Amino acid sequence: MTRVFQFIFGVVFAVCLGMHPAIAVERPFDLTGTGTLEVMTDDNGQLTHGVLNASGTATHLGKWTQTGNLIFTPDQSNPDIILASGDTKFIGANGDELQAEIKDSVLDTTTGIATGTFLFVGGTRRFDQAQGSADFTVTQELNSGTFDVVAQGRIDY
Protein backbone atom coordinates (compact mmCIF):
# COMPACT_ATOMS: atom_id res chain seq x y z
CA MET A 1 0.00 0.00 0.00
CA THR A 2 2.83 2.41 0.82
CA ARG A 3 4.44 1.87 -2.60
CA VAL A 4 1.15 2.56 -4.35
CA PHE A 5 0.74 5.78 -2.36
CA GLN A 6 4.33 6.83 -3.15
CA PHE A 7 3.80 6.07 -6.83
CA ILE A 8 0.53 8.08 -7.00
CA PHE A 9 2.10 10.97 -5.06
CA GLY A 10 5.10 10.95 -7.42
CA VAL A 11 2.89 11.01 -10.53
CA VAL A 12 0.71 13.83 -9.14
CA PHE A 13 3.82 15.82 -8.15
CA ALA A 14 5.39 15.38 -11.62
CA VAL A 15 2.18 16.43 -13.37
CA CYS A 16 1.87 19.51 -11.17
CA LEU A 17 5.44 20.55 -11.97
CA GLY A 18 4.62 20.48 -15.67
CA MET A 19 1.48 22.60 -15.23
CA HIS A 20 3.06 25.97 -14.53
CA PRO A 21 1.35 28.91 -16.24
CA ALA A 22 2.90 30.39 -19.36
CA ILE A 23 5.06 33.38 -18.59
CA ALA A 24 4.56 36.45 -20.75
CA VAL A 25 7.73 37.55 -22.47
CA GLU A 26 8.45 40.91 -24.07
CA ARG A 27 9.39 40.47 -27.72
CA PRO A 28 10.29 42.72 -30.65
CA PHE A 29 7.36 43.63 -32.92
CA ASP A 30 7.81 44.63 -36.57
CA LEU A 31 5.00 45.29 -39.06
CA THR A 32 4.70 46.33 -42.70
CA GLY A 33 1.59 46.70 -44.79
CA THR A 34 -0.63 48.61 -47.17
CA GLY A 35 -4.21 49.75 -46.90
CA THR A 36 -6.94 52.27 -47.54
CA LEU A 37 -8.51 54.95 -45.41
CA GLU A 38 -12.05 56.08 -46.14
CA VAL A 39 -12.62 59.50 -44.58
CA MET A 40 -15.86 61.26 -43.69
CA THR A 41 -16.36 65.00 -43.41
CA ASP A 42 -18.85 67.30 -41.73
CA ASP A 43 -21.03 69.87 -43.55
CA ASN A 44 -18.10 72.32 -43.55
CA GLY A 45 -15.75 69.85 -45.28
CA GLN A 46 -13.71 69.19 -42.12
CA LEU A 47 -12.44 65.65 -41.65
CA THR A 48 -14.33 64.03 -38.77
CA HIS A 49 -13.57 60.31 -38.81
CA GLY A 50 -12.33 57.46 -40.95
CA VAL A 51 -12.42 53.71 -41.44
CA LEU A 52 -9.21 51.90 -42.28
CA ASN A 53 -8.60 48.50 -43.84
CA ALA A 54 -5.11 47.11 -44.33
CA SER A 55 -3.06 43.94 -44.69
CA GLY A 56 0.57 42.93 -44.53
CA THR A 57 3.01 40.88 -42.49
CA ALA A 58 4.21 41.21 -38.90
CA THR A 59 6.18 39.30 -36.34
CA HIS A 60 3.86 37.22 -34.12
CA LEU A 61 0.94 37.71 -36.56
CA GLY A 62 2.31 36.39 -39.85
CA LYS A 63 0.08 37.62 -42.65
CA TRP A 64 -2.46 39.95 -41.08
CA THR A 65 -5.53 41.98 -41.91
CA GLN A 66 -6.61 45.10 -40.06
CA THR A 67 -9.75 47.10 -39.52
CA GLY A 68 -10.01 50.25 -37.48
CA ASN A 69 -11.75 53.51 -36.76
CA LEU A 70 -10.17 56.94 -36.45
CA ILE A 71 -11.41 60.23 -35.02
CA PHE A 72 -9.82 63.36 -36.51
CA THR A 73 -9.21 66.63 -34.69
CA PRO A 74 -7.75 69.69 -36.39
CA ASP A 75 -4.60 71.12 -34.83
CA GLN A 76 -5.66 74.63 -33.77
CA SER A 77 -2.11 75.98 -34.13
CA ASN A 78 -1.40 74.54 -37.62
CA PRO A 79 -4.09 74.02 -40.28
CA ASP A 80 -1.83 71.55 -42.16
CA ILE A 81 -1.81 69.11 -39.23
CA ILE A 82 -4.56 66.65 -38.33
CA LEU A 83 -4.50 64.78 -35.02
CA ALA A 84 -5.98 61.28 -34.98
CA SER A 85 -6.89 58.70 -32.37
CA GLY A 86 -8.88 55.50 -32.52
CA ASP A 87 -8.92 51.76 -32.19
CA THR A 88 -7.90 48.94 -34.46
CA LYS A 89 -7.84 45.16 -34.65
CA PHE A 90 -5.17 43.02 -36.33
CA ILE A 91 -6.20 39.49 -37.28
CA GLY A 92 -3.27 37.11 -37.67
CA ALA A 93 -2.85 34.25 -40.11
CA ASN A 94 -4.17 31.77 -37.53
CA GLY A 95 -7.19 33.91 -36.54
CA ASP A 96 -5.75 35.31 -33.31
CA GLU A 97 -6.79 38.94 -32.83
CA LEU A 98 -4.57 41.70 -31.46
CA GLN A 99 -6.40 44.82 -30.25
CA ALA A 100 -4.70 48.21 -30.26
CA GLU A 101 -5.47 51.82 -29.53
CA ILE A 102 -4.11 54.41 -31.94
CA LYS A 103 -2.41 57.13 -29.89
CA ASP A 104 -0.63 60.42 -30.55
CA SER A 105 -1.11 60.21 -34.32
CA VAL A 106 -0.19 63.33 -36.28
CA LEU A 107 -0.82 63.65 -40.04
CA ASP A 108 0.95 66.35 -42.01
CA THR A 109 -1.40 67.06 -44.94
CA THR A 110 1.40 68.74 -46.92
CA THR A 111 3.47 65.53 -47.03
CA GLY A 112 0.91 62.76 -46.40
CA ILE A 113 3.12 61.37 -43.64
CA ALA A 114 1.60 60.40 -40.31
CA THR A 115 3.30 59.14 -37.17
CA GLY A 116 1.84 57.69 -34.02
CA THR A 117 1.72 54.71 -31.70
CA PHE A 118 -0.18 51.44 -31.58
CA LEU A 119 -0.85 50.68 -27.90
CA PHE A 120 -1.57 46.94 -27.57
CA VAL A 121 -4.50 46.26 -25.24
CA GLY A 122 -5.27 42.55 -25.45
CA GLY A 123 -7.01 40.40 -27.99
CA THR A 124 -8.01 36.79 -28.35
CA ARG A 125 -6.27 33.50 -27.57
CA ARG A 126 -2.53 34.05 -27.18
CA PHE A 127 -3.00 37.84 -27.34
CA ASP A 128 -5.66 37.81 -24.59
CA GLN A 129 -3.40 39.69 -22.15
CA ALA A 130 -1.14 41.34 -24.74
CA GLN A 131 0.42 44.68 -23.93
CA GLY A 132 3.14 46.83 -25.37
CA SER A 133 3.42 49.41 -28.11
CA ALA A 134 4.79 50.03 -31.58
CA ASP A 135 5.59 53.39 -33.16
CA PHE A 136 4.29 53.64 -36.72
CA THR A 137 4.88 55.74 -39.80
CA VAL A 138 2.22 55.96 -42.48
CA THR A 139 2.86 57.34 -45.95
CA GLN A 140 -0.52 58.21 -47.41
CA GLU A 141 -1.71 59.19 -50.85
CA LEU A 142 -4.21 61.81 -49.73
CA ASN A 143 -6.23 61.84 -52.96
CA SER A 144 -6.87 58.09 -53.12
CA GLY A 145 -6.70 57.18 -49.43
CA THR A 146 -4.17 54.40 -50.01
CA PHE A 147 -1.23 54.11 -47.62
CA ASP A 148 1.86 52.17 -46.65
CA VAL A 149 2.59 51.53 -42.99
CA VAL A 150 5.64 50.36 -41.03
CA ALA A 151 5.80 49.90 -37.27
CA GLN A 152 8.39 48.81 -34.73
CA GLY A 153 8.06 48.23 -31.03
CA ARG A 154 7.70 45.62 -28.29
CA ILE A 155 4.88 43.27 -27.39
CA ASP A 156 4.38 41.20 -24.26
CA TYR A 157 2.00 38.21 -24.35
Side-chain angles (χ1 to χ4, degrees):
M1 185 72 156
T2 302
R3 285 188 177 191
V4 171
F5 176 75
Q6 289 174 338
F7 175 76
I8 291 173
F9 178 76
V11 169
V12 169
F13 183 74
V15 169
C16 289
L17 280 178
M19 295 178 56
H20 57 84
I23 298 172
V25 175
E26 187 176 78
R27 304 163 171 94
F29 181 86
D30 294 291
L31 173 144
T32 60
T34 60
T36 58
L37 175 65
E38 180 182 358
V39 296
M40 286 61 146
T41 59
D42 62 15
D43 293 338
N44 298 322
Q46 294 290 322
L47 297 178
T48 58
H49 62 285
V51 176
L52 66 89
N53 290 286
S55 62
T57 58
T59 51
H60 316 292
L61 290 167
K63 289 185 178 183
W64 55 265
T65 59
Q66 176 189 23
T67 58
N69 299 291
L70 293 171
I71 302 295
F72 301 118
T73 307
D75 184 335
Q76 299 301 321
S77 64
N78 185 342
D80 293 329
I81 300 296
I82 297 173
L83 308 175
S85 61
D87 57 78
T88 191
K89 170 175 60 176
F90 298 95
I91 302 172
N94 66 355
D96 289 0
E97 296 180 8
L98 176 60
Q99 303 285 336
E101 295 175 1
I102 298 170
K103 298 283 192 181
D104 304 322
S105 182
V106 177
L107 169 64
D108 183 333
T109 60
T110 64
T111 64
I113 296 176
T115 58
T117 302
F118 294 124
L119 179 64
F120 303 125
V121 293
T124 63
R125 298 193 285 205
R126 68 183 162 140
F127 297 124
D128 181 44
Q129 300 293 319
Q131 56 187 359
S133 64
D135 293 329
F136 64 80
T137 300
V138 170
T139 305
Q140 179 147 8
E141 172 54 50
L142 296 174
N143 293 325
S144 67
T146 60
F147 63 85
D148 295 318
V149 60
V150 295
Q152 291 185 320
R154 311 277 307 162
I155 187 169
D156 188 354
Y157 65 92

